[in-house]
Amino acid sequence: MRLRAIILIGLFGLSSWAYAQLPTPQEVSFMRTLYQQQSLELAAQSRERLIENAFLLVQAQHTFPHLLLRQAEVGFDNQYHVRRYLLNAWQVHAWLDPSTLPALPQTPFWTAQWLSQTLGSYPSDGRLSTDRLAQLNSVELLPENGPWPALNLGDFYQSMSMQIKFRLHRADLDVFIAELTRWHKYREASKQLAAKLKQQQLTLSRLEEMALADILRPSILGQLGVQQTLHGQSPELERLKGEISDTQIARYYERHQQSFRYIERVSAQGVRFKDAQAAHAFYEQAMKVGFAAALATHEDIFTQHQGELSRDDKAKGFAYQLAFTLPAQTISRPVRTPKGRWLVIHCQDKEYGLYPAQSQTVRYQAMNAIAKEQAQANYRRQYLAWRKDLGLQE
């Protein structure tokens, strides 16, 4: 497959592979049209983004090549996403009308029973046995077609997500046909656009590489510790955190003490009502005459604390949490409690404390921040060195 070829290129040397990935003006123009769908700022930076994407692919090939194949074990393989990316890209450029693509040829033996018998039960560990995979590799789904080799059931199956695989094992023929149709459309679209790509001085293999780089960009940056990710840990950040000294943490603490403040005490008053109408009436009155004056005929829910709430009181319930949340010198609009009552809270003042330098809170936050700074600095240094090797100016 094409992706395996990309990986093999890296075996002959990272530097030569890196040179081959620098974008041509035609490729920059192609991607700029896509980026304009996201933002004009991104479009203006098209060439720089593509150059950085090339660097990121080199980093992935060198450090975590598994990402080039699949970002998550339970998800689709990357080539699945590349095909969707380019089908969309060609439509954005108005080069492709999907309705002009030939329909998937139907085969009589594609039935739910055939699918069930061929795939068998879903494997307990999610992985097909070697024998079963070999059997699937012998089943042709799409014939050889121009530049495309025949597609077998094994490659088709392996590209799917865990959820799709599970549905295929349950003999969901509609899913099978839908996913095979996606693959068929991509093959047909690339054939239909072969002349167009040549006219534009573009090649399918390079478009696939650029699409792959754009798709993997967040994951690679996350692995390198440069960008926050929603899932998973960055091995680079974990490595850097293991090298941080107590002295570095102490210095960070001294420079960022504002980041380690917490609300120690709150001066507050509050009134609880059974219905929203009464709460709103009180709120309007408090805004006119002041909270203390409006409170004269009501009971202050914080009386037992003499209006002074400690940090320990914060855990006592919704009203206390609201008092700590409000900015100082603020009267809250009526707020409905989880129990169906209504609150109006006046936060008068706040006193702040500072986490001790040796506290776990300080160590945790400082280590994360220092590691992130170092990861970003390392990345910047490596990227600039790579650009310099290629003769590119900063």
Side-chain angles (χ1 to χ4, degrees), residues 253 256-262 264 352-357 362:
Y253 178 74
H256 301 87
Q257 289 198 4
Q258 282 294 110
S259 301
F260 298 110
R261 293 202 312 164
Y262 65 90
E264 191 169 32
Y352 291 85
L354 195 65
Y355 287 108
V362 169

Side-chain angles (χ1 to χ4, degrees), residues 327-345:
Q329 305 297 318
T330 300
I331 299 176
S332 74
R333 298 189 67 86
V335 178
R336 190 174 187 273
T337 74
K339 294 183 178 181
R341 299 292 187 90
W342 292 83
L343 290 173
V344 180
I345 303 292

Side-chain angles (χ1 to χ4, degrees), residues 263-277:
I263 304 171
E264 191 169 32
R265 301 187 66 81
V266 172
S267 300
Q269 298 170 299
V271 187
R272 183 181 291 111
F273 298 91
K274 292 183 178 180
D275 60 79
Q277 185 176 358

Side-chain angles (χ1 to χ4, degrees), residues 297-316:
T297 57
H298 296 80
E299 179 183 356
D300 181 1
I301 60 176
F302 299 132
T303 296
Q304 60 177 317
H305 304 284
Q306 289 78 49
E308 296 293 325
L309 310 181
S310 70
R311 191 176 176 213
D312 291 338
D313 293 325
K314 187 178 178 181
K316 292 182 177 179

Side-chain angles (χ1 to χ4, degrees), residues 166-202:
F166 184 76
R167 294 180 66 177
L168 292 175
H169 280 280
R170 293 176 65 89
D172 192 328
L173 191 63
D174 289 340
V175 167
F176 171 77
I177 295 298
E179 293 300 339
L180 189 56
T181 298
R182 292 179 192 274
W183 208 307
H184 169 72
K185 284 184 176 180
Y186 181 73
R187 289 162 51 116
E188 292 298 327
S190 63
K191 279 182 54 184
Q192 186 182 104
L193 294 176
K196 181 70 174 181
L197 295 183
K198 185 175 182 180
Q199 178 188 26
Q200 297 292 322
Q201 299 181 45
L202 299 169

Side-chain angles (χ1 to χ4, degrees), residues 118-133:
T118 304
L119 294 182
S121 301
Y122 185 79
S124 58
D125 61 356
R127 299 177 183 275
L128 292 179
S129 67
T130 302
D131 291 342
R132 179 53 58 89
L133 187 57

Side-chain angles (χ1 to χ4, degrees), residues 42 58 66 80 160 181 196 217 305 344 357 374 389-390:
L42 179 58
V58 172
H66 66 279
Y80 181 94
M160 296 296 123
T181 298
K196 181 70 174 181
R217 181 185 177 93
H305 304 284
V344 180
Q374 291 182 348
D389 287 344
L390 299 183

